[in-house]
Amino acid sequence: MFVPIIAVIIALVLDLVFGDPKNRYHPTVWIGRIIGKIIPYTRSQNPTNEKINGTLGIVFIVILISVLISLFSSSMNQIYNLDSNIYKTLLVITGVIATGILLKTTIAIKGMESHASAIMDSLSKNDLEGARVKLSMIVKRDTMNLDKQHVISATLESISENIVDGITGPLFYFSFFGLIGAFVYRTINTADSMVGYKTDIFRNVGWFAANCDKALNFLPSRLTSLVMILSCIILKKDWRHSIHIMKRDGPKTESPNAGYPMATLAGALGIKFEKIEHYVLGDGNSVITEMHFKSAISIMKLTSIMFTLCFTIPVIIILSSIGWWFNV
């Protein structure tokens, strides 16, 4: 019971303090490279064949990642079943730390804060062009013609989406399926971010990844929104308005999931998020400022902690009590 709980705590502390390792050492980057190598072979002149090939490609990658994580988990289980001695204690401690480090690579709290802060820093220096370029690294939309307010809006929207994609989503699936759950989620999420666009190039190849991502995020996005509201209560934000905007505007986005955390944040901060020609979330009229950005970061961090305390740890305890966690 205590091994996965300690691993979660280690993962959160490592991320909040140190952030992401250099790209070449990050498993998500490796996953992205594997996807990048395989996807070109899924292309076809036939749309149906592209969907089939894209599906098979993602399934292959998921199985590959699952096998690698299973080998690690199996070695950890063998350590935990050793006869009690000092060597077992040292190995168990090492295994828990290693599990925490691996889980940490599936979440990105400080990483998102760093990316968003870089955008805001460019804006503070009146470098709108630089802010647009930095924003383009974390959003799918065209950023080259966005004005300052739309750049800030997109940045805060990304923060709210990242709460699910980069924090609570992996923790949700770790709660039930351990490292395999967290890494399968991260693999699908990464694939969706790379090829899940509705463009002529990826419309068919990325069909499976995009729909898997929608299915996997259905529960985490809504549960996260509720935890965000709890965080808003603690931080003394407008949680009542947050609930209202979440209910009203959550379903407005093209994605069936992304709108919920975005609308929740917009309501809590009393601001309006707008993706031109796609959606408007919230009804605030105030200019989005640095203070709104800082509040969004505070909500993201507290939601990460509260989700762990209110969901992840209780689920692990419950499942451990019935023997589930000893089998994953």
Side-chain angles (χ1 to χ4, degrees):
M1 177 190 301
F2 295 107
V3 169
I5 292 175
I6 295 172
V8 168
I9 294 172
I10 289 173
L12 285 178
V13 171
L14 285 175
D15 190 85
L16 287 167
V17 175
F18 299 106
D20 293 328
K22 292 182 179 179
N23 284 347
R24 64 178 179 272
Y25 301 124
H26 204 299
T28 301
V29 174
W30 300 344
I31 292 171
R33 288 175 180 170
I34 295 172
I35 295 170
K37 293 289 185 182
I38 290 178
I39 288 302
Y41 294 101
T42 65
R43 300 299 305 280
S44 171
Q45 297 299 317
N46 186 303
T48 301
N49 287 342
E50 278 199 331
K51 284 187 177 181
I52 294 173
N53 294 342
T55 300
L56 293 175
I58 297 302
V59 169
F60 170 78
I61 296 168
V62 167
I63 291 174
L64 175 62
I65 299 300
S66 298
V67 168
L68 293 174
I69 297 299
S70 293
L71 291 174
F72 172 81
S73 298
S74 296
S75 65
M76 290 301 100
N77 287 333
Q78 290 177 4
I79 291 174
Y80 304 145
N81 292 326
L82 290 174
D83 292 333
S84 180
N85 54 54
I86 188 170
Y87 298 108
K88 175 187 175 180
T89 301
L90 292 173
L91 288 171
V92 168
I93 292 173
T94 302
V96 172
I97 293 174
T99 301
I101 291 173
L102 283 174
L103 177 60
K104 178 266 159 293
T105 64
T106 69
I107 62 179
I109 306 169
K110 192 175 182 67
M112 185 67 229
E113 180 183 9
S114 297
H115 283 299
S117 294
I119 296 169
M120 297 302 294
D121 184 58
S122 292
L123 290 175
S124 69
K125 297 175 181 177
N126 295 317
D127 182 12
L128 180 58
E129 185 64 29
R132 289 168 173 167
V133 172
K134 291 171 183 175
L135 176 63
S136 68
M137 298 177 184
I138 60 173
V139 299
K140 297 178 181 179
R141 72 192 70 174
D142 181 6
T143 64
M144 288 301 99
N145 296 313
L146 297 182
D147 59 28
K148 180 178 179 179
Q149 279 298 292
H150 282 97
V151 168
I152 302 177
S153 174
T155 302
L156 268 62
E157 290 169 51
S158 295
I159 291 172
S160 58
E161 281 192 89
N162 182 73
I163 297 176
V164 180
D165 293 343
I167 307 168
T168 60
L171 290 176
F172 180 92
Y173 287 101
F174 179 81
S175 305
F176 292 99
F177 305 109
L179 281 177
I180 290 179
F183 269 88
V184 167
Y185 174 85
R186 172 54 61 216
T187 300
I188 294 296
N189 189 256
T190 301
D192 176 59
S193 68
M194 292 178 66
V195 300
Y197 308 119
K198 290 189 175 180
T199 64
D200 290 338
I201 297 176
F202 296 125
R203 179 175 287 109
N204 298 310
V205 170
W207 173 84
F208 182 73
N211 282 282
C212 276
D213 189 71
K214 289 178 183 177
L216 289 177
N217 274 326
F218 186 86
L219 289 177
S221 66
R222 288 153 178 80
L223 181 60
T224 298
S225 295
L226 297 178
V227 179
M228 287 175 68
I229 292 168
L230 176 60
S231 298
C232 290
I233 294 174
I234 296 173
L235 293 171
K236 295 180 169 46
K237 303 300 179 184
D238 193 347
W239 61 272
R240 291 183 177 85
H241 190 57
S242 182
I243 294 174
H244 169 68
I245 297 301
M246 178 192 70
K247 290 179 178 178
R248 190 192 72 185
D249 294 349
K252 285 185 177 181
T253 57
E254 186 175 359
S255 163
N257 305 312
Y260 286 90
M262 288 195 292
T264 302
L265 184 63
L269 300 183
I271 55 179
K272 180 169 63 180
F273 292 151
E274 180 180 16
K275 183 176 181 181
I276 300 172
E277 297 182 354
H278 286 82
Y279 57 73
V280 175
L281 308 178
D283 50 17
N285 296 315
S286 60
V287 173
I288 308 177
T289 65
E290 178 77 15
M291 290 302 299
H292 292 119
F293 167 74
K294 291 180 178 178
S295 295
I297 294 297
S298 297
I299 291 172
M300 177 178 70
K301 290 181 176 179
L302 185 56
T303 298
S304 305
I305 296 170
M306 295 305 298
F307 189 91
T308 301
L309 294 176
C310 297
F311 182 82
T312 302
I313 291 177
V315 169
I316 291 173
I317 291 173
I318 292 170
L319 294 181
S320 295
S321 68
I322 61 176
W324 169 259
W325 253 93
F326 294 103
N327 298 312
V328 297

